[in-house]
Amino acid sequence: MTDTEPAGGETPDGLPGWCLVANVARETVRGESGLGIQHGTKHFRAGALLWLPPVRWDPGHGRRHAVGRHRGNGRRYVNMVVRMDDLENFRVKGVYSEALVRGLNGYDHDPAAPRTLQNPWTRERAQEWADARNHFREPLFIEGHPYAHPRIFVPNPPLAEIRIDGETLHLARYGTGGAHYSRTPPPTEWIPGP
């Protein structure tokens, strides 16, 4: 009896390699203070499958190189830089298509070896990355600062009050863009007397 399941980091016959994948979130935030909501991104529809090769160069904080089928032309793979906050449901999939291998390789693609991934993930490393990203905590924004706090994240759902550097912050709003905290407490609700 033979074992049909690949052992350890081996890949099955005909599989060029493994890749980290994710879907474009149903709702993404845009605009000042993250108040603009849109479905999908400019280049990818909501729910589109994106393939995320290992990082070859740094596209900037919170961004990642991705390969997927463009919103305007669903037949061809395109390379884009996407915001990680616009992605959800991270997992590992096998790469089978030569067109996808070409897209993942980018400029490093070798036409003499069309089914060879130049910079592949190991299945274990991609799974670790997917697990870490799926358990990602919500970014924390403080009023008056346009960017998320670089070191602090809050659980989902966020706490009503938190203390940072001896200062008490109050939850002002919470949505797809993360938890937004304010230095001023929320207004108290007036209840009419008898």
PDB file of all heavy atoms in Angstrom, residues 1-33:
ATOM      1  N   MET A   1       0.848  -1.170   0.000  1.00  0.00           N
ATOM      2  CA  MET A   1       0.000   0.000   0.000  1.00  0.00           C
ATOM      3  C   MET A   1       0.895   1.236   0.000  1.00  0.00           C
ATOM      4  O   MET A   1       1.820   1.344   0.778  1.00  0.00           O
ATOM      5  CB  MET A   1      -0.880  -0.015   1.244  1.00  0.00           C
ATOM      6  CG  MET A   1      -1.877   1.103   1.263  1.00  0.00           C
ATOM      7  SD  MET A   1      -3.136   0.758   2.477  1.00  0.00           S
ATOM      8  CE  MET A   1      -2.879   2.117   3.557  1.00  0.00           C
ATOM      9  N   THR A   2       0.614   2.185  -0.882  1.00  0.00           N
ATOM     10  CA  THR A   2       1.422   3.391  -0.963  1.00  0.00           C
ATOM     11  C   THR A   2       0.704   4.553  -0.294  1.00  0.00           C
ATOM     12  O   THR A   2      -0.521   4.606  -0.260  1.00  0.00           O
ATOM     13  CB  THR A   2       1.701   3.758  -2.434  1.00  0.00           C
ATOM     14  OG1 THR A   2       0.460   4.005  -3.073  1.00  0.00           O
ATOM     15  CG2 THR A   2       2.461   2.659  -3.136  1.00  0.00           C
ATOM     16  N   ASP A   3       1.501   5.481   0.202  1.00  0.00           N
ATOM     17  CA  ASP A   3       0.961   6.669   0.842  1.00  0.00           C
ATOM     18  C   ASP A   3       0.743   7.726  -0.222  1.00  0.00           C
ATOM     19  O   ASP A   3       1.674   8.162  -0.875  1.00  0.00           O
ATOM     20  CB  ASP A   3       1.951   7.150   1.911  1.00  0.00           C
ATOM     21  CG  ASP A   3       1.397   8.303   2.714  1.00  0.00           C
ATOM     22  OD1 ASP A   3       0.192   8.568   2.618  1.00  0.00           O
ATOM     23  OD2 ASP A   3       2.184   8.910   3.449  1.00  0.00           O
ATOM     24  N   THR A   4      -0.497   8.133  -0.415  1.00  0.00           N
ATOM     25  CA  THR A   4      -0.803   9.133  -1.444  1.00  0.00           C
ATOM     26  C   THR A   4      -0.679  10.553  -0.933  1.00  0.00           C
ATOM     27  O   THR A   4      -0.667  11.483  -1.709  1.00  0.00           O
ATOM     28  CB  THR A   4      -2.230   8.930  -1.995  1.00  0.00           C
ATOM     29  OG1 THR A   4      -3.148   9.018  -0.903  1.00  0.00           O
ATOM     30  CG2 THR A   4      -2.351   7.588  -2.689  1.00  0.00           C
ATOM     31  N   GLU A   5      -0.611  10.753   0.363  1.00  0.00           N
ATOM     32  CA  GLU A   5      -0.486  12.094   0.940  1.00  0.00           C
ATOM     33  C   GLU A   5       0.991  12.473   0.980  1.00  0.00           C
ATOM     34  O   GLU A   5       1.830  11.684   1.415  1.00  0.00           O
ATOM     35  CB  GLU A   5      -1.061  12.098   2.359  1.00  0.00           C
ATOM     36  CG  GLU A   5      -1.153  13.461   2.992  1.00  0.00           C
ATOM     37  CD  GLU A   5      -2.149  14.369   2.309  1.00  0.00           C
ATOM     38  OE1 GLU A   5      -3.112  13.879   1.718  1.00  0.00           O
ATOM     39  OE2 GLU A   5      -1.934  15.597   2.365  1.00  0.00           O
ATOM     40  N   PRO A   6       1.359  13.676   0.491  1.00  0.00           N
ATOM     41  CA  PRO A   6       2.756  14.071   0.520  1.00  0.00           C
ATOM     42  C   PRO A   6       3.269  14.185   1.954  1.00  0.00           C
ATOM     43  O   PRO A   6       2.560  14.633   2.837  1.00  0.00           O
ATOM     44  CB  PRO A   6       2.776  15.429  -0.179  1.00  0.00           C
ATOM     45  CG  PRO A   6       1.382  15.926  -0.113  1.00  0.00           C
ATOM     46  CD  PRO A   6       0.508  14.721  -0.038  1.00  0.00           C
ATOM     47  N   ALA A   7       4.492  13.743   2.152  1.00  0.00           N
ATOM     48  CA  ALA A   7       5.094  13.796   3.481  1.00  0.00           C
ATOM     49  C   ALA A   7       5.752  15.145   3.716  1.00  0.00           C
ATOM     50  O   ALA A   7       6.434  15.671   2.854  1.00  0.00           O
ATOM     51  CB  ALA A   7       6.141  12.685   3.612  1.00  0.00           C
ATOM     52  N   GLY A   8       5.524  15.706   4.917  1.00  0.00           N
ATOM     53  CA  GLY A   8       6.194  16.946   5.327  1.00  0.00           C
ATOM     54  C   GLY A   8       6.009  18.077   4.339  1.00  0.00           C
ATOM     55  O   GLY A   8       4.916  18.477   4.010  1.00  0.00           O
ATOM     56  N   GLY A   9       7.143  18.607   3.846  1.00  0.00           N
ATOM     57  CA  GLY A   9       7.108  19.750   2.947  1.00  0.00           C
ATOM     58  C   GLY A   9       7.066  19.362   1.481  1.00  0.00           C
ATOM     59  O   GLY A   9       7.188  20.221   0.619  1.00  0.00           O
ATOM     60  N   GLU A  10       6.926  18.045   1.176  1.00  0.00           N
ATOM     61  CA  GLU A  10       6.905  17.627  -0.220  1.00  0.00           C
ATOM     62  C   GLU A  10       5.630  18.117  -0.903  1.00  0.00           C
ATOM     63  O   GLU A  10       4.607  18.310  -0.279  1.00  0.00           O
ATOM     64  CB  GLU A  10       6.964  16.101  -0.312  1.00  0.00           C
ATOM     65  CG  GLU A  10       8.278  15.514   0.165  1.00  0.00           C
ATOM     66  CD  GLU A  10       8.271  14.002   0.042  1.00  0.00           C
ATOM     67  OE1 GLU A  10       7.502  13.479  -0.782  1.00  0.00           O
ATOM     68  OE2 GLU A  10       9.025  13.361   0.764  1.00  0.00           O
ATOM     69  N   THR A  11       5.727  18.284  -2.218  1.00  0.00           N
ATOM     70  CA  THR A  11       4.554  18.668  -2.996  1.00  0.00           C
ATOM     71  C   THR A  11       4.165  17.503  -3.898  1.00  0.00           C
ATOM     72  O   THR A  11       5.026  16.769  -4.385  1.00  0.00           O
ATOM     73  CB  THR A  11       4.847  19.912  -3.861  1.00  0.00           C
ATOM     74  OG1 THR A  11       5.971  19.637  -4.688  1.00  0.00           O
ATOM     75  CG2 THR A  11       5.146  21.116  -2.995  1.00  0.00           C
ATOM     76  N   PRO A  12       2.871  17.300  -4.133  1.00  0.00           N
ATOM     77  CA  PRO A  12       2.442  16.205  -5.002  1.00  0.00           C
ATOM     78  C   PRO A  12       2.927  16.417  -6.437  1.00  0.00           C
ATOM     79  O   PRO A  12       3.244  17.537  -6.834  1.00  0.00           O
ATOM     80  CB  PRO A  12       0.919  16.254  -4.935  1.00  0.00           C
ATOM     81  CG  PRO A  12       0.545  17.346  -4.019  1.00  0.00           C
ATOM     82  CD  PRO A  12       1.774  18.043  -3.575  1.00  0.00           C
ATOM     83  N   ASP A  13       2.969  15.334  -7.200  1.00  0.00           N
ATOM     84  CA  ASP A  13       3.390  15.424  -8.600  1.00  0.00           C
ATOM     85  C   ASP A  13       2.475  16.371  -9.362  1.00  0.00           C
ATOM     86  O   ASP A  13       1.263  16.374  -9.184  1.00  0.00           O
ATOM     87  CB  ASP A  13       3.335  14.040  -9.268  1.00  0.00           C
ATOM     88  CG  ASP A  13       4.412  13.112  -8.737  1.00  0.00           C
ATOM     89  OD1 ASP A  13       5.399  13.627  -8.182  1.00  0.00           O
ATOM     90  OD2 ASP A  13       4.240  11.891  -8.863  1.00  0.00           O
ATOM     91  N   GLY A  14       3.071  17.208 -10.220  1.00  0.00           N
ATOM     92  CA  GLY A  14       2.311  18.145 -11.032  1.00  0.00           C
ATOM     93  C   GLY A  14       2.000  19.452 -10.334  1.00  0.00           C
ATOM     94  O   GLY A  14       1.425  20.345 -10.934  1.00  0.00           O
ATOM     95  N   LEU A  15       2.366  19.566  -9.066  1.00  0.00           N
ATOM     96  CA  LEU A  15       2.112  20.798  -8.315  1.00  0.00           C
ATOM     97  C   LEU A  15       3.411  21.589  -8.217  1.00  0.00           C
ATOM     98  O   LEU A  15       4.337  21.164  -7.535  1.00  0.00           O
ATOM     99  CB  LEU A  15       1.584  20.476  -6.913  1.00  0.00           C
ATOM    100  CG  LEU A  15       1.307  21.666  -6.007  1.00  0.00           C
ATOM    101  CD1 LEU A  15       0.054  22.389  -6.485  1.00  0.00           C
ATOM    102  CD2 LEU A  15       1.115  21.202  -4.579  1.00  0.00           C
ATOM    103  N   PRO A  16       3.498  22.747  -8.888  1.00  0.00           N
ATOM    104  CA  PRO A  16       4.723  23.542  -8.821  1.00  0.00           C
ATOM    105  C   PRO A  16       5.044  24.062  -7.420  1.00  0.00           C
ATOM    106  O   PRO A  16       6.184  24.293  -7.096  1.00  0.00           O
ATOM    107  CB  PRO A  16       4.458  24.706  -9.770  1.00  0.00           C
ATOM    108  CG  PRO A  16       3.403  24.223 -10.690  1.00  0.00           C
ATOM    109  CD  PRO A  16       2.566  23.284  -9.871  1.00  0.00           C
ATOM    110  N   GLY A  17       4.029  24.258  -6.589  1.00  0.00           N
ATOM    111  CA  GLY A  17       4.284  24.743  -5.237  1.00  0.00           C
ATOM    112  C   GLY A  17       3.024  25.203  -4.540  1.00  0.00           C
ATOM    113  O   GLY A  17       1.918  25.070  -5.053  1.00  0.00           O
ATOM    114  N   TRP A  18       3.210  25.773  -3.354  1.00  0.00           N
ATOM    115  CA  TRP A  18       2.122  26.263  -2.528  1.00  0.00           C
ATOM    116  C   TRP A  18       2.150  27.785  -2.492  1.00  0.00           C
ATOM    117  O   TRP A  18       3.191  28.393  -2.696  1.00  0.00           O
ATOM    118  CB  TRP A  18       2.257  25.731  -1.099  1.00  0.00           C
ATOM    119  CG  TRP A  18       2.287  24.256  -1.032  1.00  0.00           C
ATOM    120  CD1 TRP A  18       3.383  23.467  -0.891  1.00  0.00           C
ATOM    121  CD2 TRP A  18       1.175  23.366  -1.128  1.00  0.00           C
ATOM    122  NE1 TRP A  18       3.019  22.140  -0.887  1.00  0.00           N
ATOM    123  CE2 TRP A  18       1.680  22.054  -1.025  1.00  0.00           C
ATOM    124  CE3 TRP A  18      -0.188  23.554  -1.281  1.00  0.00           C
ATOM    125  CZ2 TRP A  18       0.852  20.937  -1.070  1.00  0.00           C
ATOM    126  CZ3 TRP A  18      -1.008  22.440  -1.323  1.00  0.00           C
ATOM    127  CH2 TRP A  18      -0.487  21.145  -1.224  1.00  0.00           C
ATOM    128  N   CYS A  19       0.994  28.381  -2.207  1.00  0.00           N
ATOM    129  CA  CYS A  19       0.947  29.834  -2.128  1.00  0.00           C
ATOM    130  C   CYS A  19      -0.078  30.254  -1.083  1.00  0.00           C
ATOM    131  O   CYS A  19      -1.097  29.591  -0.885  1.00  0.00           O
ATOM    132  CB  CYS A  19       0.582  30.441  -3.481  1.00  0.00           C
ATOM    133  SG  CYS A  19       0.843  32.221  -3.560  1.00  0.00           S
ATOM    134  N   LEU A  20       0.206  31.362  -0.425  1.00  0.00           N
ATOM    135  CA  LEU A  20      -0.734  31.992   0.492  1.00  0.00           C
ATOM    136  C   LEU A  20      -1.782  32.709  -0.345  1.00  0.00           C
ATOM    137  O   LEU A  20      -1.445  33.405  -1.301  1.00  0.00           O
ATOM    138  CB  LEU A  20       0.011  32.987   1.378  1.00  0.00           C
ATOM    139  CG  LEU A  20      -0.823  33.779   2.363  1.00  0.00           C
ATOM    140  CD1 LEU A  20      -1.369  32.865   3.449  1.00  0.00           C
ATOM    141  CD2 LEU A  20       0.023  34.874   2.980  1.00  0.00           C
ATOM    142  N   VAL A  21      -3.062  32.520  -0.024  1.00  0.00           N
ATOM    143  CA  VAL A  21      -4.139  33.186  -0.754  1.00  0.00           C
ATOM    144  C   VAL A  21      -5.074  33.874   0.235  1.00  0.00           C
ATOM    145  O   VAL A  21      -5.085  33.543   1.424  1.00  0.00           O
ATOM    146  CB  VAL A  21      -4.953  32.203  -1.642  1.00  0.00           C
ATOM    147  CG1 VAL A  21      -4.087  31.563  -2.693  1.00  0.00           C
ATOM    148  CG2 VAL A  21      -5.649  31.156  -0.802  1.00  0.00           C
ATOM    149  N   ALA A  22      -5.845  34.827  -0.269  1.00  0.00           N
ATOM    150  CA  ALA A  22      -6.848  35.530   0.538  1.00  0.00           C
ATOM    151  C   ALA A  22      -7.923  36.052  -0.402  1.00  0.00           C
ATOM    152  O   ALA A  22      -7.733  36.119  -1.617  1.00  0.00           O
ATOM    153  CB  ALA A  22      -6.214  36.678   1.310  1.00  0.00           C
ATOM    154  N   ASN A  23      -9.052  36.417   0.171  1.00  0.00           N
ATOM    155  CA  ASN A  23     -10.137  37.022  -0.600  1.00  0.00           C
ATOM    156  C   ASN A  23     -10.196  38.517  -0.308  1.00  0.00           C
ATOM    157  O   ASN A  23      -9.886  38.947   0.797  1.00  0.00           O
ATOM    158  CB  ASN A  23     -11.484  36.394  -0.236  1.00  0.00           C
ATOM    159  CG  ASN A  23     -11.540  34.940  -0.615  1.00  0.00           C
ATOM    160  OD1 ASN A  23     -11.332  34.081   0.218  1.00  0.00           O
ATOM    161  ND2 ASN A  23     -11.808  34.659  -1.876  1.00  0.00           N
ATOM    162  N   VAL A  24     -10.619  39.281  -1.309  1.00  0.00           N
ATOM    163  CA  VAL A  24     -10.843  40.706  -1.105  1.00  0.00           C
ATOM    164  C   VAL A  24     -12.073  40.842  -0.211  1.00  0.00           C
ATOM    165  O   VAL A  24     -13.086  40.176  -0.430  1.00  0.00           O
ATOM    166  CB  VAL A  24     -11.065  41.429  -2.452  1.00  0.00           C
ATOM    167  CG1 VAL A  24     -11.417  42.888  -2.229  1.00  0.00           C
ATOM    168  CG2 VAL A  24      -9.830  41.305  -3.328  1.00  0.00           C
ATOM    169  N   ALA A  25     -11.978  41.678   0.808  1.00  0.00           N
ATOM    170  CA  ALA A  25     -13.066  41.856   1.773  1.00  0.00           C
ATOM    171  C   ALA A  25     -14.323  42.393   1.085  1.00  0.00           C
ATOM    172  O   ALA A  25     -14.241  43.116   0.092  1.00  0.00           O
ATOM    173  CB  ALA A  25     -12.628  42.807   2.880  1.00  0.00           C
ATOM    174  N   ARG A  26     -15.475  42.042   1.617  1.00  0.00           N
ATOM    175  CA  ARG A  26     -16.760  42.496   1.057  1.00  0.00           C
ATOM    176  C   ARG A  26     -16.875  44.012   1.139  1.00  0.00           C
ATOM    177  O   ARG A  26     -17.400  44.640   0.244  1.00  0.00           O
ATOM    178  CB  ARG A  26     -17.923  41.854   1.806  1.00  0.00           C
ATOM    179  CG  ARG A  26     -17.944  40.357   1.715  1.00  0.00           C
ATOM    180  CD  ARG A  26     -18.362  39.915   0.351  1.00  0.00           C
ATOM    181  NE  ARG A  26     -18.185  38.469   0.238  1.00  0.00           N
ATOM    182  CZ  ARG A  26     -18.066  37.836  -0.901  1.00  0.00           C
ATOM    183  NH1 ARG A  26     -18.081  38.513  -2.029  1.00  0.00           N
ATOM    184  NH2 ARG A  26     -17.906  36.552  -0.940  1.00  0.00           N
ATOM    185  N   GLU A  27     -16.413  44.583   2.242  1.00  0.00           N
ATOM    186  CA  GLU A  27     -16.435  46.041   2.402  1.00  0.00           C
ATOM    187  C   GLU A  27     -15.032  46.513   2.733  1.00  0.00           C
ATOM    188  O   GLU A  27     -14.382  45.955   3.603  1.00  0.00           O
ATOM    189  CB  GLU A  27     -17.390  46.460   3.523  1.00  0.00           C
ATOM    190  CG  GLU A  27     -18.834  46.242   3.194  1.00  0.00           C
ATOM    191  CD  GLU A  27     -19.753  46.739   4.291  1.00  0.00           C
ATOM    192  OE1 GLU A  27     -19.280  46.983   5.418  1.00  0.00           O
ATOM    193  OE2 GLU A  27     -20.943  46.889   4.020  1.00  0.00           O
ATOM    194  N   THR A  28     -14.578  47.543   2.031  1.00  0.00           N
ATOM    195  CA  THR A  28     -13.280  48.143   2.306  1.00  0.00           C
ATOM    196  C   THR A  28     -13.495  49.617   2.603  1.00  0.00           C
ATOM    197  O   THR A  28     -14.443  50.222   2.122  1.00  0.00           O
ATOM    198  CB  THR A  28     -12.318  47.977   1.111  1.00  0.00           C
ATOM    199  OG1 THR A  28     -12.919  48.556  -0.053  1.00  0.00           O
ATOM    200  CG2 THR A  28     -12.023  46.515   0.841  1.00  0.00           C
ATOM    201  N   VAL A  29     -12.616  50.164   3.437  1.00  0.00           N
ATOM    202  CA  VAL A  29     -12.774  51.568   3.841  1.00  0.00           C
ATOM    203  C   VAL A  29     -11.849  52.449   3.021  1.00  0.00           C
ATOM    204  O   VAL A  29     -10.743  52.067   2.662  1.00  0.00           O
ATOM    205  CB  VAL A  29     -12.506  51.766   5.346  1.00  0.00           C
ATOM    206  CG1 VAL A  29     -13.548  51.050   6.166  1.00  0.00           C
ATOM    207  CG2 VAL A  29     -11.126  51.296   5.720  1.00  0.00           C
ATOM    208  N   ARG A  30     -12.331  53.649   2.724  1.00  0.00           N
ATOM    209  CA  ARG A  30     -11.570  54.625   1.955  1.00  0.00           C
ATOM    210  C   ARG A  30     -11.850  56.011   2.511  1.00  0.00           C
ATOM    211  O   ARG A  30     -12.782  56.213   3.288  1.00  0.00           O
ATOM    212  CB  ARG A  30     -11.976  54.613   0.475  1.00  0.00           C
ATOM    213  CG  ARG A  30     -11.620  53.339  -0.244  1.00  0.00           C
ATOM    214  CD  ARG A  30     -10.116  53.244  -0.446  1.00  0.00           C
ATOM    215  NE  ARG A  30      -9.725  52.050  -1.147  1.00  0.00           N
ATOM    216  CZ  ARG A  30      -9.372  50.923  -0.567  1.00  0.00           C
ATOM    217  NH1 ARG A  30      -9.385  50.817   0.724  1.00  0.00           N
ATOM    218  NH2 ARG A  30      -8.998  49.895  -1.280  1.00  0.00           N
ATOM    219  N   GLY A  31     -11.079  56.963   2.072  1.00  0.00           N
ATOM    220  CA  GLY A  31     -11.340  58.356   2.400  1.00  0.00           C
ATOM    221  C   GLY A  31     -10.788  58.777   3.741  1.00  0.00           C
ATOM    222  O   GLY A  31     -10.209  57.993   4.490  1.00  0.00           O
ATOM    223  N   GLU A  32     -10.996  60.031   4.026  1.00  0.00           N
ATOM    224  CA  GLU A  32     -10.508  60.618   5.257  1.00  0.00           C
ATOM    225  C   GLU A  32     -11.212  60.002   6.460  1.00  0.00           C
ATOM    226  O   GLU A  32     -12.435  59.851   6.476  1.00  0.00           O
ATOM    227  CB  GLU A  32     -10.744  62.126   5.231  1.00  0.00           C
ATOM    228  CG  GLU A  32      -9.990  62.865   6.300  1.00  0.00           C
ATOM    229  CD  GLU A  32     -10.084  64.360   6.109  1.00  0.00           C
ATOM    230  OE1 GLU A  32      -9.995  64.811   4.953  1.00  0.00           O
ATOM    231  OE2 GLU A  32     -10.260  65.041   7.100  1.00  0.00           O
ATOM    232  N   SER A  33     -10.451  59.613   7.445  1.00  0.00           N
ATOM    233  CA  SER A  33     -10.947  58.997   8.687  1.00  0.00           C
ATOM    234  C   SER A  33     -11.625  57.652   8.448  1.00  0.00           C
ATOM    235  O   SER A  33     -12.298  57.141   9.330  1.00  0.00           O
ATOM    236  CB  SER A  33     -11.911  59.930   9.418  1.00  0.00           C
ATOM    237  OG  SER A  33     -11.272  61.132   9.747  1.00  0.00           O
TER     238      SER A  33
END
